[in-house]
Amino acid sequence: MFSTLLNIFKNRCPNCKKGKVFADKSFFFSVGFPKMNTYCSHCNYKFEKEPGYFFGAMFVNYAITVGQALITFFIASRFFDKFFDARILFIIGFVILALSFFNIRLSRMIWIYAFKNYSK
């Protein structure tokens, strides 16, 4: 389990654990929509199985974003007098926007690893 999480964060191919899924240099700090490799450079594993394959990754992205928003809310609410202050919404919005490019990559990696053929 730990090695799978490590491979997800290191942007490695789910099949051979050597190739890169995204063509971008940095998995964490890239700005813009991710550029994915079509095939793994080492084992020729195809990342997008069919058109619309990553549609389900949007739901994973949504869950990650909601989790980040809740964590941000509970951390930020400690710095205000009232439990719910309208200024917290701007902080949550900033955090969500700042992490959005990372979340896209992470959700796609989770989706690829979730539907990899583990019978080998």
Side-chain angles (χ1 to χ4, degrees), residues 2-63:
F2 180 73
S3 64
T4 302
L5 289 174
L6 192 63
N7 287 328
I8 286 173
F9 284 108
K10 285 189 173 185
N11 185 25
R12 291 190 180 155
C13 171
N15 195 34
C16 68
K17 315 289 190 280
K18 294 178 184 174
K20 298 290 184 183
V21 176
F22 291 99
D24 302 336
K25 293 249 183 206
S26 175
F27 182 74
F28 296 103
F29 301 113
S30 288
V31 177
F33 202 75
K35 294 173 185 71
M36 291 186 64
N37 295 323
T38 308
Y39 294 95
C40 176
S41 60
H42 284 80
C43 66
N44 211 26
Y45 180 79
K46 187 174 182 181
F47 297 122
E48 188 172 1
K49 303 295 181 203
E50 59 191 20
Y53 177 71
F54 291 110
F55 181 74
M58 292 189 318
F59 297 105
V60 175
N61 189 1
Y62 178 74

Side-chain angles (χ1 to χ4, degrees), residues 73-74 80-81 112:
F73 172 76
F74 288 117
F80 294 99
D81 294 332
I112 288 172

Side-chain angles (χ1 to χ4, degrees), residues 76-95:
S77 65
R78 296 185 170 266
F79 295 102
F80 294 99
D81 294 332
K82 293 186 248 174
F83 182 70
F84 182 77
D85 195 329
R87 294 176 287 184
I88 294 176
L89 295 175
F90 294 107
I91 295 170
I92 292 171
F94 175 76
V95 170

